């Protein structure tokens, strides 16, 4: 090894050492601690932390209906966001076509995403309030007073109301991402398709969607991740209530740790959440790669 | 006096907790020096100006005091807490750590306890002291404890760890003109209370869909506590009812005090006297509704009155009565009373003697009388009795013959049971307000969970 190579190696080693230390201290060690804590019985305060093996995991899976309810609520967000994706794509296609005021419309649609999530949650909390709430006022003015419901206190509808707020917040972001992807589709291919007589649906199905597959993959990752970790909107608007009906995984984890003083159980929930996200990503990757291979085979 | 709002800090603490990460430092005083510590000279009980002089008067350090009570923190500023203490200890500065709400306060303290970073002095609730007892200094021998009316009732294993700076019982605040208009009088039994609530709801609710005979704000869950938390103690006459429950396998069985009172409360809720959507209204909203007379009654502590007046609302026509849980006028009128805001000294303090001296000062003539006069709650100190606000006095005039029941929020066994069963009486109140709640099935389920948890914990 000559002097130049040695220097290069030394430089590489030195420049990697800090990121590695940071990663070890702020990611690896806390994660290891989290896993370790999930096998302890600890109230978060006492100095004694008995090791109880997998009892926390056992309790979660077999003796915690609240855990499954929270999980189901997370899936509601995932389902509704997933259902909204095609609509977001269509809106992105419409907005990508040049028309007067397109930039203004784009800005308005993107605006909710840049507003603070806490602020949005508080605003909608008052919007759906039964006391001088804006939504009920609108319904009354439109002669639809009979449709008024207990928007945030009826367990049957509360998750859909909260999901709608989440949609309102993230829709603009998703549309802008789709638009960025659509902008990368070469215009000559689109023009050629038009000349060949392809209609709008065919252009979307056979040119635009395949071209923005990476964006769709990212969006799916974002939606899955965001839905499973949903916290601010339900926490501020309902605190997981009424009676846990809108609890999500994150709220339930925090309640378990701080309200019910069970840090061990809460840690096991955090580990499960990480495992779930990783598992879902792997499944998503497997499915998308299969689809790609299949399409490549027929192409 | 330095004041530090702890909103961001608690957020960070929460993040650290989730990642299981916490730093370790023994310095809780900030500017505390080793030299200062060495200057501490033990003294045997000498008391000057109400402050026990165990620490060197010239000591130079900063002591930290953490509180969740924003109103009290404001009072510390207005009444110059630091300046008054500096008349005794001129070189001691006081750093107030102010949290916006109780949950955030205790979340942060939990993280800090495991990192040995608790403040020198911190306020506690009666139940939280039990959890933190291993980090608290024994205050049994302090002059403040000896002069306090109720501190010893909250002793843990015979040791007093915190001195309550106030005591209070709950009241039903009501508008006299609304009562007059509806033709109802102050109830003396539970049945009368239900009847009065129903009459008010029917009278005013018929024309105003937002009206609630009882403004509860149950969206926040905690405002159900006068019923759900104090009910069992009042019904049984046992302030330590939660501890009693840890000795029973079926504490929710028919005929038990808790089952009886919860059935009464459920029946009250079924009458619709909490308005059209009680779970959709927050406590703040319910207070505003009450101020606008869109509600006739509010169940709360004297802190309600403090906050109500601080918000600039007019109390004209506002009076109080005690909530009657009793079934007959011949029964004793049990009134649950509780010490609150327990001042404690932590073992993480680098200057425990100064912290103790501060505690003695806090409950001395140099500070306490002015402080307790500025809040609505009652005094806990024998030497400094207090005349309550006229609004609160109306309750004792209406019902002077009461049996006080000192409330304990549950000792360590109960805390373990709560952790295991996730039993939360206030959330149960919310549950009772949700459609389809089946009390018999739920109480049976609670009994089953309770018995299993007792067996698991070996109680």
């Amino acid at each position: 090894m000559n002097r130049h190579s040695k220097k290069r190696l030394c430089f590489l080693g030195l420049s990697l050492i800090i990121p590695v230390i940071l990663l070890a201290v702020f990611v690896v060690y806390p994660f290891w601690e989290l896993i370790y804590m999930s096998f302890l019985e600890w109230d978060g305060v006492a100095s004694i932390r008995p090791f109880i093996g997998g009892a926390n995991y056992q309790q979660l899976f077999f003796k915690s209906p609240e855990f499954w309810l929270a999980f189901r609520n997370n899936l509601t967000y995932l389902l509704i966001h997933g259902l909204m994706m095609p609509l977001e794509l269509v809106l992105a296609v419409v907005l990508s076509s040049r028309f007067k005021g397109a930039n203004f419309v784009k800005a308005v649609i993107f605006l909710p995403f840049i507003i603070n999530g806490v602020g949005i949650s508080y605003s909608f909390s008052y919007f759906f309030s039964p006391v001088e709430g804006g939504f009920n006022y609108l319904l009354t003015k439109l002669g639809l007073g009979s449709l008024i419901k207990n928007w945030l206190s009826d367990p049957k509808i509360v998750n859909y109301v909260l999901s709608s707020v989440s949609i309102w917040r993230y829709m603009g972001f998703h549309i802008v991402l789709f638009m960025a992807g659509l902008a990368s589709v070469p215009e000559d291919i689109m023009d050629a398709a038009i000349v060949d007589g392809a209609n709008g649906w065919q252009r979307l199905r056979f040119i635009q969607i395949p071209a923005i597959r990476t964006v769709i993959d990212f969006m799916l990752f974002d939606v899955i991740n965001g839905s499973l970790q949903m916290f601010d909107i339900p926490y501020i608007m309902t605190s997981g209530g009424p009676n846990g009906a809108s609890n999500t995984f994150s709220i339930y984890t925090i309640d378990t740790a701080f309200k019910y003083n069970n840090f061990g159980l809460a840690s096991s929930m955090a580990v499960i959440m990480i495992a779930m996200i990783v598992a879902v990503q792997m499944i998503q990757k497997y499915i998308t790669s299969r689809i790609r291979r299949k399409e490549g085979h027929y192409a | 006096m330095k004041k530090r709002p702890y909103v961001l800090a608690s957020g960070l603490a929460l993040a650290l907790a989730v990642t299981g990460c916490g730093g370790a430092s023994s310095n809780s005083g900030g500017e505390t020096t080793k030299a200062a510590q060495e200057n501490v000279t033990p003294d045997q009980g000498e008391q000057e100006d109400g402050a026990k002089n165990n620490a060197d008067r010239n000591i130079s350090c900063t002591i930290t005091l953490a509180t969740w009570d924003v109103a009290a923190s404001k009072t510390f500023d207005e009444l110059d807490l630091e300046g008054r203490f500096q008349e005794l200890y001129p070189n001691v500065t006081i750093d107030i750590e102010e949290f916006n709400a109780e949950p955030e306060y205790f979340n942060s303290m939990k993280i800090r306890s495991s990192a040995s970073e608790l403040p020198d002095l911190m306020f506690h609730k009666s139940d939280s002291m039990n959890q933190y007892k291993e980090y608290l200094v024994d205050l049994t021998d302090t002059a403040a404890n000896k002069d306090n009316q109720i501190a010893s009732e909250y002793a843990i294993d015979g040791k007093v760890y915190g001195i309550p700076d106030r005591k209070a019982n709950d009241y039903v605040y009501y508008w006299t003109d609304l009562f007059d208009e509806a033709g109802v009088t102050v109830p003396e039994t539970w049945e009368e209370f239900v009847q009065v609530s129903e009459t008010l709801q029917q009278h005013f609710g018929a024309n105003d869909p937002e009206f609630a005979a009882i403004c509860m704000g149950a969206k926040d869950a905690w405002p159900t506590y006068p019923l759900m938390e104090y009910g069992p103690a009042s019904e049984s006459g046992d302030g330590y009812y939660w501890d009693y429950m840890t000795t029973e396998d079926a504490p929710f069985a028919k005929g038990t005090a808790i089952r009886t009172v919860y059935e009464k409360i459920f029946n009250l809720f079924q009458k619709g006297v909490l308005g059209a959507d009680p779970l959709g209204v927050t406590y703040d909203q319910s207070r505003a509704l009450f101020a606008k007379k869109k509600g006739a009654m509010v169940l709360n502590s004297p802190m309600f009155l403090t906050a109500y007046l601080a918000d600039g609302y007019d109390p004209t026509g506002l009076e109080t009565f005690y909530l009657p849980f009793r079934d007959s006028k011949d029964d004793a009128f049990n009134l649950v009373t509780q010490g609150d805001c327990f001042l404690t000294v932590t073992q993480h303090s680098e200057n425990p003697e100064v912290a103790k001296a501060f505690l003695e000062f806090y409950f001395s003539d140099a500070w306490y009388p002015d402080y307790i006069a500025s809040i609505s709650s009652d005094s806990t100190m024998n030497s400094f009795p207090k005349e309550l606000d006229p609004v609160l006095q109306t309750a004792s005039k209406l019902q002077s013959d009461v049996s006080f029941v000192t409330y304990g929020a549950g000792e360590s066994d109960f805390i373990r049971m709560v952790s295991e069963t996730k039993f939360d009486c206030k959330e149960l109140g919310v549950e009772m307000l949700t459609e389809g709640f089946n009390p018999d099935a739920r109480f049976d389920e609670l009994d089953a969970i309770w018995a299993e948890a007792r067996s698991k914990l070996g109680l």
Side-chain angles (χ1 to χ4, degrees), chain A residues 237-295:
Chain A
M237 289 182 69
T238 62
S239 303
N243 187 34
S246 61
N247 250 348
T248 60
F249 217 91
S250 303
I251 296 176
Y252 186 56
T253 305
I254 284 174
D255 277 353
T256 302
F258 292 101
K259 193 167 159 188
Y260 300 111
N261 306 309
N262 200 335
F263 273 61
L265 192 64
S267 301
S268 62
M269 292 176 70
V271 171
I272 288 171
M273 188 196 276
I274 293 167
M276 259 183 343
I277 290 172
V278 171
V280 170
Q281 291 315 312
M282 284 170 72
I283 294 167
Q284 182 201 334
K285 220 166 189 177
Y286 175 75
I287 292 171
T288 48
S289 65
R290 285 272 302 220
I291 291 171
R292 271 180 201 175
R293 265 212 303 270
K294 207 173 164 188
E295 285 185 351

Side-chain angles (χ1 to χ4, degrees), chain B residues 80-92:
Chain B
D80 192 18
L81 176 71
E82 185 180 54
R84 292 192 193 197
F85 187 60
Q86 282 176 344
E87 286 175 18
L88 301 168
Y89 290 83
N91 300 319
V92 176

Side-chain angles (χ1 to χ4, degrees), chain B residues 257-268:
Chain B
I258 193 166
R259 174 80 170 253
T260 306
V261 77
Y262 281 0
E263 281 173 349
K264 281 182 185 180
I265 294 164
F266 177 66
N267 290 332
L268 172 75

Side-chain angles (χ1 to χ4, degrees), chain A residues 25-26 29-31 33-34 37 41-49 55 59 63-66 125-126 128-133 149-156 231 235-239 241-244 252 254-263 265 270, chain B residues 13-14 17-22 103-104 106-111 113-114 131-135 210 219-221 276-282 284-285 289 292 294 415-416 418-424 427-428 430-435 437 442 445 452 456-457:
Chain A
V25 171
F26 292 109
Y29 173 68
F31 185 58
E33 273 287 295
L34 185 73
M37 270 166 60
E41 185 185 350
W42 185 41
D43 65 1
V45 177
S47 50
I48 303 163
R49 308 174 186 188
Q59 187 179 342
K63 291 177 185 170
S64 297
E66 305 92 348
S125 187
Y126 287 106
F128 287 114
S129 169
V131 180
E132 295 166 357
K149 299 226 178 299
N150 296 338
W151 303 111
L152 298 178
S153 57
D154 183 346
K156 290 196 276 292
F231 176 72
Y235 188 73
I236 291 164
M237 289 182 69
T238 62
S239 303
N243 187 34
Y252 186 56
I254 284 174
D255 277 353
T256 302
F258 292 101
K259 193 167 159 188
Y260 300 111
N261 306 309
N262 200 335
F263 273 61
L265 192 64
Chain B
L14 204 66
V18 170
T19 55
C21 190
E104 282 77 14
F106 283 109
N107 289 351
S108 176
M109 292 304 153
K110 265 179 203 163
I111 308 303
S113 65
S114 60
Q131 212 183 354
Y132 286 79
K133 64 184 175 192
E134 64 179 288
Y135 302 109
E210 288 183 352
K219 186 181 176 187
D220 290 331
D277 184 9
L279 295 177
V281 181
T282 64
D284 288 340
Q285 285 177 314
L289 284 174
K292 285 195 269 186
K294 280 176 172 280
I415 292 168
R416 287 170 68 208
V418 166
S419 175
E420 192 61 33
T421 60
K422 291 198 163 72
F423 169 68
D424 181 336
E427 285 293 346
L428 185 61
V430 170
E431 215 176 316
M432 284 181 182
L433 284 164
T434 50
E435 205 184 309
F437 178 79
R442 184 67 176 121
E445 185 190 18
E452 195 181 340
K456 185 180 170 187
L457 297 174

Side-chain angles (χ1 to χ4, degrees), chain A residues 14-295:
Chain A
L14 283 173
S15 49
L16 279 176
I17 212 161
I18 291 173
V20 167
I21 289 171
L22 288 176
L23 201 73
V25 171
F26 292 109
V27 179
V28 179
Y29 173 68
F31 185 58
W32 169 251
E33 273 287 295
L34 185 73
I35 293 173
Y36 177 61
M37 270 166 60
S38 72
F39 295 105
L40 304 178
E41 185 185 350
W42 185 41
D43 65 1
V45 177
S47 50
I48 303 163
R49 308 174 186 188
F51 184 82
I52 53 166
N56 285 328
Y57 291 95
Q58 202 182 350
Q59 187 179 342
L60 265 186
F61 283 114
F62 303 111
K63 291 177 185 170
S64 297
E66 305 92 348
F67 168 78
W68 296 107
L69 175 67
F71 184 56
R72 198 189 70 187
N73 292 342
N74 279 104
L75 290 182
T76 306
Y77 287 94
L78 180 59
L79 183 74
I80 291 178
H81 272 286
L83 289 174
M84 289 304 289
M85 276 180 73
L87 177 67
E88 287 161 356
L89 178 60
V90 170
L91 282 171
V93 171
V94 172
L95 288 170
S96 293
S97 58
R98 294 187 191 94
F99 65 91
K100 211 174 176 184
N103 284 337
F104 174 74
V105 175
K106 280 180 215 166
V108 168
I109 283 182
F110 191 64
L111 201 62
F113 184 68
I114 55 171
I115 300 175
N116 181 292
V118 175
I120 287 175
S121 306
Y122 270 117
S123 305
F124 273 100
S125 187
Y126 287 106
F127 184 65
F128 287 114
S129 169
V131 180
E132 295 166 357
F135 192 54
N136 286 352
Y137 176 79
L138 278 176
L139 288 175
T140 310
K141 285 285 162 194
L142 292 170
L144 301 169
S146 59
L147 294 179
I148 289 175
K149 299 226 178 299
N150 296 338
W151 303 111
L152 298 178
S153 57
D154 183 346
K156 290 196 276 292
I157 57 169
V158 64
N159 284 304
Y160 301 107
V161 176
L162 296 174
S163 298
S164 71
V165 177
S166 180
I167 291 290
W168 184 85
R169 185 176 178 207
Y170 291 105
M171 195 179 209
F173 174 60
H174 293 165
I175 289 174
V176 168
L177 276 183
F178 276 133
M179 286 171 68
L182 291 170
S184 69
V185 180
E187 271 186 46
D188 51 350
I189 296 180
M190 294 295 285
D191 292 341
I194 293 168
V195 171
D196 288 346
N199 60 26
W201 163 247
Q202 286 166 328
R203 291 199 299 275
L204 179 70
R205 168 69 185 87
F206 296 106
I207 299 173
Q208 289 174 308
I209 289 179
I212 62 165
R213 195 157 277 152
T214 315
V215 176
I216 295 173
D217 279 355
F218 170 76
M219 203 95 85
L220 275 172
F221 171 80
D222 188 54
V223 165
I224 292 167
N225 205 26
S227 300
L228 290 177
Q229 296 190 58
M230 181 55 68
F231 176 72
D232 53 357
I233 291 172
Y235 188 73
I236 291 164
M237 289 182 69
T238 62
S239 303
N243 187 34
S246 61
N247 250 348
T248 60
F249 217 91
S250 303
I251 296 176
Y252 186 56
T253 305
I254 284 174
D255 277 353
T256 302
F258 292 101
K259 193 167 159 188
Y260 300 111
N261 306 309
N262 200 335
F263 273 61
L265 192 64
S267 301
S268 62
M269 292 176 70
V271 171
I272 288 171
M273 188 196 276
I274 293 167
M276 259 183 343
I277 290 172
V278 171
V280 170
Q281 291 315 312
M282 284 170 72
I283 294 167
Q284 182 201 334
K285 220 166 189 177
Y286 175 75
I287 292 171
T288 48
S289 65
R290 285 272 302 220
I291 291 171
R292 271 180 201 175
R293 265 212 303 270
K294 207 173 164 188
E295 285 185 351

